[in-house]
Amino acid sequence: MRKIQMVDLVTQYQDIKTEVLDSFSQILENASFINGPEVHGFQKDLENYLGVKHVIPCANGTDALQIAMMGLGLKPGDEVITADFTFAATAEVIALLQLTPVLVDVDPHTFNIDPEAIRKAITTKTKAIVPVHLFGQCAPMEEIMEIAKEHDIYVIEDNAQAIGANYRFGDGRLQKAGALGDVGATSFFPSKNLGCYGDGGAIFTNDDDLAHIIRGIVNHGMYERYHHDVVGVNSRLDSLQAAVLRAKLPHLDRYCEKRREAARAYNSAFRNHPEITIPTTVRECEGICDTCDCHVFHQYTLRIGGGKRDGLAEHLAASGIPFGIYYPIPLHRQKAYLDKRYAEGDFPVTNQLCKEVISLPMHTELDDEQIQHITRAVLEFMGG
Ligand SMILES: *Cc1c(COP(=O)(O)O)cnc(C)c1O
């Protein structure tokens, strides 16, 4: 059996090796490292794939979120609502821009931001909501967009974990994650579903004016050479990374399907266990999501009941099986994001999830033998 890894990028590389090396060689021969044709080509390819008017590549996913907020003209003191159960980058950029992060609880089944909690958190200072499409499945965007419309506030999608996922509206219409809100941000960190071989990110929008503003911000606030109209940043996707992404994008749907295959195999092993809760799919997709493309399983995350999560983690570690705890500490309890406005009772779900979640190896190269080995080890400890 091949060694089990949390993410196996080495085996995945073999498939696109020739193409990547050919592109690298061309870029090295031309020394077109910055703003080369690969970057523009990738931008166009991704616009087509997502069905979005503008993709603006940038240096990483954290920058993408920050630049999106700068582009919308959010000002110090503006409140931005986001999920308590997420990676810190989301709240970090809000705080960095001197906006006020307002963390709210999530749904116990999908792990995504809870629309009711958003409603309760809205004040006259609220200017934006940042739903995170956690673990590869969209937050309830139809409800979130409705709330945003009612209160005239922006929606910025943190799509770092769900590129390639579809969102199904109540009327059956499908749209790609990241292209639903006013603006979307994604990361091409190597372990993401569409990852490059270093850092990378992108911002998406259908708004021509916003796209123009953002294109200036990523390039030192320049709209005309050496004329700096706004304070910007330097945030670029380089040509080598764009070449990797261009080679991988045509495979993204297949990569997502490989992840879903692994998820289905895990699901059938754990579905009937009384202390294991398998990942739940969104309400709109109830019953069909096992085979449809609304979940791209960036992570395959179980909830372990009976206070057995940490014991299971130790057992897996002893068995040489990698796992992840995403996330062990709620953001509202992180020193950097403490705020008097929060009470522990505001976050019952996140607090519980942090004690119960465990993510199993999930990537495009898992085979049946490896999955069996993993499920056997989990059930060995959990019984059944
Ligand atoms: C990875 C990630 C980011 C940050 O992306 P980087 O490219 O590492 O800066 C932001 N938000 C979420 C939810 C992520 O998973």
Side-chain angles (χ1 to χ4, degrees):
M1 187 177 66
R2 250 184 311 124
K3 185 170 160 22
I4 298 176
Q5 310 201 40
M6 200 61 191
V7 179
D8 182 353
L9 296 173
V10 174
T11 311
Q12 192 194 54
Y13 169 60
Q14 301 313 314
D15 212 34
I16 51 169
K17 185 170 180 170
T18 323
E19 203 178 330
V20 169
L21 290 181
D22 283 353
S23 304
F24 277 14
S25 162
Q26 255 186 33
I27 293 166
L28 299 182
E29 297 290 343
N30 299 332
S32 55
F33 304 116
I34 302 288
N35 289 335
E38 292 294 344
V39 178
H40 189 69
F42 171 65
Q43 175 199 320
K44 290 289 162 205
D45 292 352
L46 191 58
E47 283 167 358
N48 284 332
Y49 175 83
L50 292 172
V52 71
K53 266 175 102 175
H54 305 280
V55 166
I56 301 115
C58 67
N60 58 70
T62 310
D63 273 11
L65 284 165
Q66 178 182 329
I67 293 159
M69 288 175 207
M70 290 168 77
L72 291 171
L74 302 185
K75 296 278 179 312
D78 287 350
E79 293 178 2
V80 180
I81 298 174
T82 194
D84 189 33
F85 190 61
T86 180
F87 181 57
T90 324
E92 179 178 62
V93 297
I94 300 172
L96 206 61
L97 293 172
Q98 296 183 307
L99 315 172
T100 306
V102 176
L103 301 170
V104 301
D105 211 3
V106 297
D107 178 272
H109 307 292
T110 62
F111 312 138
N112 273 320
I113 196 163
D114 174 2
E116 274 319 300
I118 294 175
R119 282 190 189 280
K120 284 193 195 125
I122 286 179
T123 73
T124 52
K125 289 184 180 167
T126 308
K127 288 290 149 52
I129 306 169
V130 187
V132 182
H133 303 322
L134 204 72
F135 301 154
Q137 174 172 242
C138 278
M141 288 300 288
E142 194 155 9
E143 285 162 273
I144 292 169
M145 296 303 289
E146 249 172 55
I147 297 172
K149 209 167 156 191
E150 270 170 45
H151 295 272
D152 196 20
I153 52 186
Y154 297 116
V155 175
I156 303 159
E157 297 173 75
D158 182 343
N159 193 33
Q161 301 189 0
I163 197 154
N166 273 320
Y167 179 75
R168 188 183 296 274
F169 286 89
D171 63 6
R173 202 159 40 94
L174 286 177
Q175 208 171 322
K176 287 284 179 205
L180 297 152
D182 294 289
V183 56
T186 204
S187 162
F188 304 122
F189 186 80
S191 64
K192 307 283 181 180
N193 287 30
L194 178 63
C196 55
Y197 295 162
D199 275 307
I203 303 143
F204 318 134
T205 185
N206 285 309
D207 181 329
D208 297 340
D209 296 334
L210 182 60
H212 173 74
I213 293 169
I214 288 174
R215 284 204 184 91
I217 292 175
V218 298
N219 188 27
H220 304 288
M222 265 198 291
Y223 296 89
E224 199 185 322
R225 206 161 167 77
Y226 299 120
H227 293 254
H228 304 271
D229 296 354
V230 296
V231 177
V233 294
N234 167 21
S235 190
R236 290 186 282 246
L237 181 74
D238 69 70
S239 304
L240 293 169
Q241 301 311 332
V244 174
L245 293 166
R246 238 191 146 181
K248 279 193 177 188
L249 184 58
H251 302 283
L252 180 58
D253 286 341
R254 186 172 57 83
Y255 291 162
C256 293
E257 186 48 35
K258 288 288 285 180
R259 288 170 176 272
R260 274 192 295 272
E261 258 173 48
R264 283 196 286 268
Y266 280 141
N267 278 350
S268 57
F270 302 134
R271 180 170 276 123
N272 296 320
H273 196 288
E275 288 175 324
I276 302 177
T277 309
I278 60 172
T280 314
T281 51
V282 290
R283 248 163 300 155
E284 298 89 85
C285 284
E286 206 83 76
I288 42 177
C289 241
D290 226 30
T291 50
C292 94
D293 44 14
C294 291
H295 202 320
V296 295
F297 291 97
H298 175 60
Q299 298 294 346
Y300 181 86
T301 304
L302 296 172
R303 289 183 65 173
I304 303 295
K308 292 186 178 168
R309 196 272 310 271
D310 292 342
L312 173 61
E314 274 172 38
H315 177 74
L316 293 179
S319 316
I321 294 173
F323 62 89
I325 307 281
Y326 312 115
Y327 298 89
I329 305 170
L331 279 186
H332 78 271
R333 286 216 301 268
Q334 300 284 358
K335 270 189 206 153
Y337 304 107
L338 295 176
D339 190 318
K340 286 194 292 290
R341 78 172 69 220
Y342 306 136
E344 271 314 302
D346 296 339
F347 307 98
V349 178
T350 302
N351 285 336
Q352 191 70 18
L353 291 177
C354 288
K355 288 182 217 151
E356 292 188 352
V357 290
I358 188 162
S359 302
L360 299 182
M362 176 48 80
H363 52 78
T364 56
E365 313 301 319
L366 280 170
D367 61 34
D368 292 346
E369 193 187 7
Q370 292 174 313
I371 291 175
Q372 260 187 33
H373 188 78
I374 297 163
T375 55
R376 247 189 238 129
V378 171
L379 294 173
E380 207 171 76
F381 179 81
M382 296 300 294

